[in-house]
């Protein structure tokens, strides 16, 4: 149900040449090749029709790489995003917060290894620690075609949808250096 919050279509770039073209738009590709000093690997795509309403989180908790910080995401607005649509929210500078280590050793959550309470604790701590550092929660209200690129540990999520008539069409792509092998494979 594409109209339901948290619904996402995975890897649309595999099936739609237009999504692949957007994910690898020249400015995105050039910027990320400079960041990684390597070729690019797109290894997970997410298409949203509605706001995700996902809790504030860090991608490193769920997107597993051998080197967790070798991850960037691009978020492309497929339409002008309106307030109340479940717009993307983020804590600017939160990627500098100290690491949360699951089971005292891992940046990623594993439901078989880690207790659910620890996972909830990590989510709560992101908001608490950002507020303690005086980091404000920002909303991203882009115009169609605008792109936000963030590093692996930027704390971000989807705000609540307050106007159910609005969509928030977007395309997210997770990238790593071409020389890496994400667990996603």
């Amino acid at each position: 149900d594409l109209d339901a919050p948290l619904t996402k279509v995975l890897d649309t770039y595999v099936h739609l040449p237009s999504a692949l073209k957007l994910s690898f738009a020249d400015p995105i590709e050039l910027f990320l090749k400079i960041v990684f000093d390597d070729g690019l690997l797109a290894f997970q795509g997410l298409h949203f029709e509605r706001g995700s309403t996902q809790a504030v989180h860090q991608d490193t908790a769920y997107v597993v790489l051998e080197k967790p910080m070798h991850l960037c995401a691009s978020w492309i607005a497929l339409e002008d995003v309106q307030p109340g649509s479940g717009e993307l929210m983020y804590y600017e500078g939160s990627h500098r917060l100290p690491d949360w280590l699951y089971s005292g050793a891992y940046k990623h959550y594993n439901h078989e290894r880690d207790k659910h309470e620890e996972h909830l604790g990590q989510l709560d701590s992101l908001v608490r620690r950002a507020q303690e550092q005086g980091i404000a929660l920002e909303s991203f209200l882009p115009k169609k075609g605008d792109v936000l690129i963030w590093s692996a540990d930027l704390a971000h999520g989807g705000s609540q949808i307050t106007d159910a008539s609005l969509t928030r069409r977007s395309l997210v792509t997770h990238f790593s250096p071409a020389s890496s092998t994400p667990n996603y494979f």
Side-chain angles (χ1 to χ4, degrees), residues 101-112:
L101 296 178
Y102 285 97
S103 295
Y106 306 95
K107 283 186 68 72
H108 67 277
Y109 171 69
N110 180 314
H111 70 278
E112 294 174 359

Side-chain angles (χ1 to χ4, degrees), residues 97-98 127-136:
L97 292 171
V127 173
R128 181 181 41 76
R129 292 184 297 149
Q131 291 172 344
E132 287 171 355
Q133 295 291 319
I135 302 171

Side-chain angles (χ1 to χ4, degrees), residues 73-85:
S74 69
W75 192 102
I76 304 170
L78 301 178
E79 65 182 351
D80 293 354
V81 174
Q82 304 299 316
S85 65

Side-chain angles (χ1 to χ4, degrees), residues 120-140:
L120 295 176
Q122 192 260 350
L123 296 176
D124 289 340
S125 81
L126 284 172
V127 173
R128 181 181 41 76
R129 292 184 297 149
Q131 291 172 344
E132 287 171 355
Q133 295 291 319
I135 302 171
L137 183 64
E138 306 285 341
S139 290
F140 186 49

Side-chain angles (χ1 to χ4, degrees), residues 60 63-71 107 152 176-177 179-181:
T60 52
V63 183
V64 183
L65 294 162
E66 182 180 346
K67 296 179 180 177
M69 298 309 292
H70 286 196
L71 167 69
K107 283 186 68 72
S176 67
S179 58
S180 68
T181 305

